[in-house]
Amino acid sequence: MKLEDLDPVMKRRRAGGLDYSYDRFRADPAMASLQWPDDVLEQFLYDHGDNTPFVTDYGSIDLHDLTWRLETIPAVDFHGMPTGASDTGCIEEYAENPVHWVKVRPQEIGRHWEEHGTWLRPPLLIDRRLLAPSGNGLQVLEGRTRVGVLRGRLREGLHVALHHQAWVGRASETLPAT
């Protein structure tokens, strides 16, 4: 199943407006069949499953072949980590003014950055081999603002943890040993 196969679910979601809650979305048989963590399902498909540039960037991925795990990633690994072609340059834009991008969020996000040096909600990263066989490393799927804030805080010498939690999607056969 690919993103374009979710078009009927996305149409129902759009038609339902605010009444089509996340709980209703995740209960849909197509969504339930993925068996993804709620945080991933919400950030990836509920929030962006019908966003045209997002579908263009990630539409070739077989969603059933994607396995998600919460991993700990060193802060330095986020430096230079790309995002999809439709959002090229946006992480760098967020990094230019990390204080602003935290201030326009709910206060608990700013407090979390100050106290823990990391984001409140783990972003989504994807193994680049899912996008191109010759790809390597990870790519920011969702959480471009969070990663930009991290880069900007590092550049400005603000408090940043050495490691950060992130949901990482990989093809089932390429999962690292646990």
Side-chain angles (χ1 to χ4, degrees):
M1 177 171 63
K2 299 193 180 203
L3 284 173
E4 63 193 26
D5 299 325
L6 300 178
D7 195 44
V9 178
M10 295 305 171
K11 284 181 180 171
R12 286 193 297 276
R13 192 186 118 234
R14 279 191 307 271
L18 295 176
D19 292 332
Y20 202 90
S21 67
Y22 172 69
D23 286 336
R24 189 171 166 195
F25 179 81
R26 75 177 177 175
D28 185 285
M31 299 300 100
S33 74
L34 292 172
Q35 299 181 343
W36 287 2
D38 275 342
D39 200 24
V40 173
L41 187 64
E42 183 177 11
Q43 289 187 72
F44 186 174
L45 300 181
Y46 185 72
D47 292 346
H48 297 289
D50 60 352
N51 176 305
T52 302
F54 203 79
V55 172
T56 300
D57 289 346
Y58 303 107
S60 65
I61 298 170
D62 180 348
L63 302 177
H64 281 289
D65 188 38
L66 197 53
T67 301
W68 293 93
R69 285 207 282 192
L70 194 59
E71 297 183 15
T72 301
I73 310 290
V76 297
D77 287 4
F78 288 94
H79 181 73
M81 188 180 291
T83 191
S86 68
D87 281 325
T88 298
C90 77
I91 293 174
E92 292 76 16
E93 287 179 35
Y94 296 126
E96 288 175 12
N97 196 347
V99 172
H100 165 77
W101 292 108
V102 170
K103 278 187 177 180
V104 298
R105 301 292 190 268
Q107 286 183 343
E108 65 265 19
I109 290 173
R111 275 195 303 275
H112 202 268
W113 273 108
E114 292 307 315
E115 293 172 12
H116 303 283
T118 191
W119 35 69
L120 190 57
R121 186 178 195 189
L124 309 183
L125 310 178
I126 195 162
D127 184 332
R128 297 189 78 212
R129 289 176 289 186
L130 287 162
L131 304 168
S134 62
N136 63 8
L138 299 173
Q139 178 167 310
V140 180
L141 179 88
E142 171 51 13
R144 295 165 300 276
T145 304
R146 286 167 270 181
V147 173
V149 166
L150 172 68
R151 288 185 193 174
R153 289 179 67 89
L154 281 168
R155 187 191 69 247
E156 293 183 10
L158 300 172
H159 176 52
V160 173
L162 295 175
H163 296 88
H164 304 269
Q165 294 284 294
W167 287 104
V168 179
R170 301 180 193 279
S172 298
E173 69 272 6
T174 63
L175 288 174
T178 56

